[in-house]
Each structure stands twice: as structure tokens, then as C-alpha cells.
């Protein structure tokens, strides 16, 4: 006779177990992102006060014309900036993962923003011997999230300087119909064909010769922030020939998942 008792191997039972396991994993991911957000916030905030004190010390060293002290403090300043950048990346990653990175769209002059961000990286470029070459229109207006676009530009410029082996970093900006087209090109070691897509994944680093490595999530964050505004990023590169990252942004950004009227 057939045993009428229920079987624990029935498909419904296995599906329930799988659903419970998925829910458990999702909760673990949320807990991780909450921890990252709290940790990044607590690690970053005291550094801003330290940055102010360091700035005062740098100003005093400049007045004293103490070249050795100026050099030491400049090095400390670069280290502090990298620390703050990494804490900021952690915070933004946790927000993107949690879907909490809301867009704040505003009218912006992208050409002016590129000049501003490039100016902020001038000292870093000079330290590596890289020249920043800008080919920009007088202005290029659109509607974007200013902080997100600034972070996109900062990541791309920082990577180009870091991996560019001291060669020039070329930044070009143009309008193509209803899009802004931005390209950041370096003359570093380049990227192998099999790695061109992988570099946009989280925790991926395909160039290990950099003097200072990060988390390997900068380009993933760049693509996430672009996609959130209806934009995209692509890379062209060959080993030994540098890399060119091209960003496309609609002039009127629409949050991901929304339809344009």
C-alpha cells in the first residue's frame, strides 16, 4: 500500500525552505549594509576635524617657508584625503545597495564641474607627474545629481592618475544630440580584453601594479550612479595602450525605473 503520510521531500516543502533561506540571506545583506553605513559614518566624521587642523598646520608651514615641513604635511594631507575617500565610498556603496541613494536633480554646467573636479585633482596629478589636459566647451548645461556626477568624475580622474604611469590624462567633453559625452583617457598599462567588463564588478581590480589600491568598487559605483540617472559607461583599452572611459549622460537625467514624459 502507498504510505499516505506527507513527505518532507515534496516540491512545496523544498520551495518553502529555499524561500526561508533567501529571506535569511537578504537579512544578512541588510545587516552588512547597515554596519557599513554606520562604520563609514563614524570613521569619516572625525577626519574632517583633523583635516581642518592639518590645513592650519600647512598654512603655518607656508608662512615659515619650511620646505621640509611643507612636504611632510602635504604627504599627510594626501593620506588623509585617501582615507576620507575610502570611507565615503563605503558609505555610498551601502546606500546604493540599500536603495537609499536618492537623486537630487539640479541644473548644472557640466563643463564648469569638470574644471572644478580637475582642479581638485591637480596636486595628485602633479605628484605623479601626470598632466591634466582638458578639451571642454565653454559650457554644457543639463539636469543631473551634482554630487553623483562629481563623484563619477572624481573616481574616473583618480583612476586615470593612479594607473596612468605618470602619463598625461586627457579629458574631453562634448554634446551629442540629447546627451553629454565625456571621455577620460590615460596612457598607462591598459586592460586585457577579458577584463574589460569585469572591472565594473564589485571588489574587482585588474591592475595590481598601482602604488595604492582601493576597495575595487570605484568603477562599480560609477556605473551604478550613472545608471541611476539613465546614463552609461564604456571602456576601450588594449594592453600597453592605456584606457579610455566614455560616459554618456542624458541632458535631462531621469531616475532609473521612471519613464520620460
Amino acid at each position: 500500500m502507498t504510505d499516505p503520510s506527507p513527505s518532507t521531500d515534496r516540491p512545496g516543502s523544498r520551495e518553502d525552505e529555499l524561500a526561508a533561506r533567501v529571506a535569511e540571506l537578504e537579512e544578512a545583506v541588510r545587516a552588512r549594509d547597515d554596519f557599513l553605513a554606520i562604520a563609514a559614518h563614524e570613521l569619516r566624521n572625525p577626519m574632517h576635524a583633523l583635516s581642518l587642523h592639518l590645513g592650519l598646520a600647512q598654512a603655518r608651514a607656508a608662512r615659515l617657508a619650511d620646505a621640509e615641513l611643507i612636504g611632510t604635511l602635504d604627504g599627510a594631507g594626501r593620506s588623509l584625503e585617501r582615507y576620507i575617500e575610502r570611507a565615503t565610498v563605503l558609505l555610498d556603496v551601502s546606500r546604493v545597495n540599500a536603495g537609499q541613494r536618492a537623486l537630487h536633480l539640479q541644473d548644472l554646467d557640466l563643463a564648469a564641474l569638470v574644471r572644478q573636479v580637475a582642479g581638485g585633482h591637480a596636486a595628485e596629478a602633479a605628484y605623479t607627474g601626470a598632466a591634466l589636459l582638458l578639451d571642454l566647451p565653454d559650457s554644457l548645461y543639463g539636469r543631473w545629481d551634482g554630487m553623483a556626477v562629481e563623484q563619477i568624475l572624481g573616481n574616473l580622474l583618480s583612476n586615470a592618475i593612479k594607473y596612468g604611469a605618470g602619463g598625461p590624462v586627457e579629458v574631453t567633453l562634448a554634446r551629442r544630440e540629447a546627451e553629454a559625452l565625456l571621455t577620460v583617457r590615460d596612457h598607462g598599462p591598459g586592460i586585457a580584453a577579458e577584463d574589460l567588463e569585469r572591472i565594473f564588478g564589485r571588489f574587482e581590480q585588474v591592475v595590481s601594479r598601482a602604488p595604492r589600491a582601493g576597495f575595487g568598487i570605484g568603477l562599480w559605483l560609477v556605473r551604478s550612479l550613472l545608471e541611476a540617472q539613465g546614463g552609461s559607461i564604456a571602456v576601450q583599452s588594449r594592453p600597453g595602450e592605456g584606457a579610455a572611459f566614455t560616459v554618456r549622460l542624458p541632458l535631462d537625467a531621469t531616475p532609473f525605473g521612471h519613464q520620460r514624459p
Side-chain angles (χ1 to χ4, degrees):
M1 296 180 59
T2 303
D3 185 357
S5 61
S7 171
T8 57
D9 292 331
R10 288 183 307 170
S13 175
R14 290 195 297 271
E15 289 173 2
D16 290 344
E17 291 177 2
L18 180 59
R21 180 58 176 158
V22 169
E24 181 183 340
L25 292 173
E26 288 176 344
E27 180 58 32
V29 170
R30 281 193 293 270
R32 179 206 63 187
D33 290 337
D34 288 344
F35 171 78
L36 283 178
I38 294 169
H41 185 270
E42 294 302 315
L43 289 171
R44 188 180 62 166
N45 279 2
M47 294 302 104
H48 288 296
L50 180 57
S51 179
L52 291 175
H53 288 299
L54 183 58
L56 292 174
Q58 288 174 311
R60 181 172 178 79
R63 288 196 299 270
L64 295 173
D66 188 327
E68 183 178 355
L69 181 58
I70 290 172
T72 300
L73 291 174
D74 284 348
R78 286 190 295 271
S79 297
L80 181 60
E81 287 172 5
R82 292 197 292 271
Y83 182 96
I84 294 174
E85 286 172 3
R86 292 186 178 192
T88 301
V89 167
L90 274 180
L91 186 58
D92 282 333
V93 167
S94 65
R95 287 172 175 169
V96 169
N97 283 345
Q100 297 172 351
R101 182 58 168 88
L103 293 179
H104 302 284
L105 302 180
Q106 57 185 302
D107 294 328
L108 291 173
D109 180 355
L110 185 55
L113 187 57
V114 171
R115 293 187 186 95
Q116 175 188 321
V117 175
H121 284 76
E124 181 182 0
Y127 181 73
T128 64
L132 295 180
L133 308 177
L134 307 183
D135 182 6
L136 315 174
D138 292 337
S139 61
L140 199 164
Y141 287 94
R143 186 168 177 79
W144 302 289
D145 182 315
M147 290 188 65
V149 174
E150 185 174 345
Q151 187 157 23
I152 290 164
L153 296 172
N155 269 292
L156 293 177
L157 276 174
S158 183
N159 276 355
I161 294 168
K162 183 193 306 182
Y163 297 121
V169 173
E170 303 163 13
V171 183
T172 60
L173 176 66
R175 175 173 177 165
R176 294 289 184 270
E177 298 181 349
E179 289 184 326
L181 209 64
L182 174 86
T183 299
V184 178
R185 181 186 302 275
D186 68 62
H187 295 270
I191 305 166
E194 62 270 20
D195 293 326
L196 289 177
E197 179 60 26
R198 188 163 66 86
I199 59 173
F200 293 104
R202 274 183 290 186
F203 310 114
E204 292 287 355
Q205 288 182 319
V206 298
V207 181
S208 60
R209 293 186 291 274
R212 50 185 175 89
F215 293 120
I217 51 182
L219 288 175
W220 170 81
L221 186 61
V222 163
R223 184 158 71 173
S224 297
L225 293 175
L226 282 168
E227 289 177 347
Q229 300 179 85
S232 64
I233 185 170
V235 58
Q236 290 183 318
S237 182
R238 292 181 180 177
E241 297 183 9
F245 290 86
T246 299
V247 165
R248 293 178 178 272
L249 265 176
L251 296 180
D252 186 3
T254 298
F256 182 78
H258 291 65
Q259 295 293 326
R260 285 189 173 83

